[in-house]
Amino acid sequence: MTKEELKRYTVIMKHIQGLMTASEAAKELKLSTRQVFRLKKRILEEGESGIIHKNRGRKPAHALTDEVRESIQNLLTSEQYRNCNDHHLAELWAEHEGIFVSPSTIRRIRCASHLPPKRKRRPPKAHRPRPRKPQAGMLVQIDASFHPWLEDRSAPFALLAAIDDATGEIVAATFRPREDTEGYILLIKQMIEQKGIPMSIYSDQHTIFRSPKEATLSMEQELAGETPPLSQFGHVLQELGITHIKALTPQAKGRIERLFETLQDRWVVELRLRHIHTIEEANRVLPALIRKHNQLFAVKPADPESAYVLLNEGQDLECILCYREKRTVGSGETVSYGGRTYKIATKNAKPTIPVKTRVEVRETLNGERFIWYKGEKYPLEEVEKPDRQGPPQKEKASIARSPHKPAANHPWRQYNKPNRRIPQRV
């Protein structure tokens, strides 16, 4: 018997011997009077063993069977579930194996089998997290993670993602061969089409987000009111009316950093179980992975009203999400861009843009090029350069020349010869 059961037996025996009343015994054992009478009856019928709980030594009805426990041990050492944490294993086994167990059960079996965890537990660090924004769409954090997402089945590539600060929801993501401007423009397009335009975007100080000439303005230029140059991505955000915040440290945008830590832990296994071998296949299953992640980790914002806004009626998303370069219109209403000459495709004979005007040439992601001038789009047509044939060039006859030999009195031939001085006359 345990100490508690021994105490119960002693008190109930005093009640049986008439040394204590039922109320006094109930107060001493912190039980009801009804329970005291039950224990008294059991001791009178069974003796000392009546005080012991009947389930002691018996296997619980909800305990795992030996077959399930053996299956779990085999799965813990299998190749397809390697490098997977206990919580993720519980989700994957319920989805793929039909085994419904808790993470703590997996941990107990793993410890009993002397299998190490994926990551060693470290003591928690004291930190003050920045409070979330109250509304969805007030702040979106973006970044990229270059990682071997397909392990040895493919070369490492980058995952570009955007997470809402208020909800922790992945609002856009795409796999790219590398971190580039086009990938982030596609990320913005995906977010606007699915959610809307956010109020602000938080990023790091990569040259994709900031121009290298941003800090080159002189004092005179700043006093004259000149603004620092923007990157291609910065121009897109400026036209959309999105405030761009550049973090000075990775800790400042910790939500997107923790997101990539979670995705590297989970999505590598998810892509392995789906037998993904290329980046194209990974992008096809990406929407399903995003939905699963948001169902597990997204939270409700403090304010249910969304801060995302829709595009205005006059805004064309294809004309905004593009590359931009400044050019000057020539006398023939032509501009040069990308090593080619283009003319403004107009139906009227009158010039639409004055000569010597500084305009902006834009190129969309699908390769379309046009001039953007005073909020209007002017299509361009490529001017074919004529093949100019010059006068035929005479072929120069090759003349075999013998190597030049210096003369006998050449200075080169006087090297290392004794210095002969002419005697001076007295």
Side-chain angles (χ1 to χ4, degrees), residues 219-371:
M219 184 65 69
E220 292 77 9
Q221 290 174 326
E222 292 181 359
L223 293 176
E226 295 185 17
T227 57
L230 298 175
S231 64
Q232 296 289 345
F233 187 78
H235 282 293
V236 172
L237 297 187
Q238 186 183 52
E239 188 166 352
L240 289 172
I242 301 175
T243 303
H244 191 190
I245 307 172
K246 305 179 190 68
L248 299 177
T249 60
Q251 291 78 8
K253 51 182 183 62
R255 211 170 302 283
I256 188 72
E257 298 291 346
R258 287 190 294 273
L259 171 68
F260 285 133
E261 184 178 356
T262 302
L263 298 186
Q264 290 175 8
D265 187 22
R266 287 174 163 261
W267 282 9
V268 171
V269 183
E270 296 278 357
L271 294 171
R272 185 198 307 153
L273 294 176
R274 285 173 168 81
H275 306 288
I276 305 300
H277 293 83
T278 62
I279 188 174
E280 293 78 14
E281 295 176 356
N283 275 317
R284 283 196 290 269
V285 302
L286 188 57
L289 296 177
I290 294 175
R291 286 193 299 270
K292 183 177 180 180
H293 176 87
N294 291 339
Q295 291 174 359
L296 291 173
F297 298 102
V299 298
K300 293 183 179 180
D303 189 349
E305 186 177 356
S306 176
Y308 290 101
V309 296
L310 302 178
L311 284 170
N312 298 330
E313 295 182 358
Q315 287 182 309
D316 186 1
L317 195 58
E318 296 295 333
C319 296
I320 298 175
L321 304 178
C322 56
Y323 299 96
R324 308 141 192 263
E325 294 289 344
K326 293 291 185 179
R327 292 293 185 271
T328 302
V329 179
S331 58
E333 293 187 356
T334 60
V335 291
S336 298
Y337 182 82
R340 299 181 181 180
T341 302
Y342 296 88
K343 67 177 182 180
I344 304 174
T346 56
K347 297 181 180 179
N348 301 329
K350 297 182 180 181
T352 55
I353 301 177
V355 181
K356 303 295 183 182
T357 302
R358 198 69 172 165
V359 296
E360 190 176 64
V361 179
R362 297 188 178 185
E363 182 179 359
T364 62
L365 298 180
N366 56 13
E368 181 187 1
R369 295 177 177 180
F370 58 91
I371 287 179

Side-chain angles (χ1 to χ4, degrees), residues 87-152:
H87 284 265
H88 198 195
L89 278 176
E91 299 171 10
L92 294 177
W93 289 351
E95 181 179 355
H96 298 281
E97 306 293 339
I99 299 177
F100 299 90
V101 291
S102 64
S104 57
T105 301
I106 298 176
R107 180 178 179 274
R108 286 195 298 269
I109 297 176
R110 178 176 54 77
C111 293
S113 302
H114 303 287
L115 297 175
K118 178 184 177 182
R119 186 181 294 108
K120 185 179 179 181
R121 294 188 179 184
R122 290 176 290 183
K125 296 180 180 179
H127 66 281
R128 290 186 177 182
R130 179 179 55 80
R132 295 177 181 266
K133 295 294 183 180
Q135 291 181 346
M138 293 186 67
L139 179 64
V140 173
Q141 299 183 17
I142 61 174
D143 203 356
S145 174
F146 194 80
H147 187 73
W149 296 99
L150 300 182
E151 300 172 303
D152 57 350

Side-chain angles (χ1 to χ4, degrees), residues 52-63:
I52 301 175
H53 200 281
K54 300 302 180 181
N55 286 334
R56 179 169 300 177
R58 296 171 60 185
K59 190 174 182 178
H62 61 278

Side-chain angles (χ1 to χ4, degrees), residues 1 5-13 43 47-48 51:
M1 287 189 293
E5 292 171 343
L6 183 60
K7 180 181 178 181
R8 286 188 176 185
Y9 179 75
T10 305
V11 173
I12 297 299
M13 286 301 298
I43 291 175
E48 295 180 357
I51 204 70

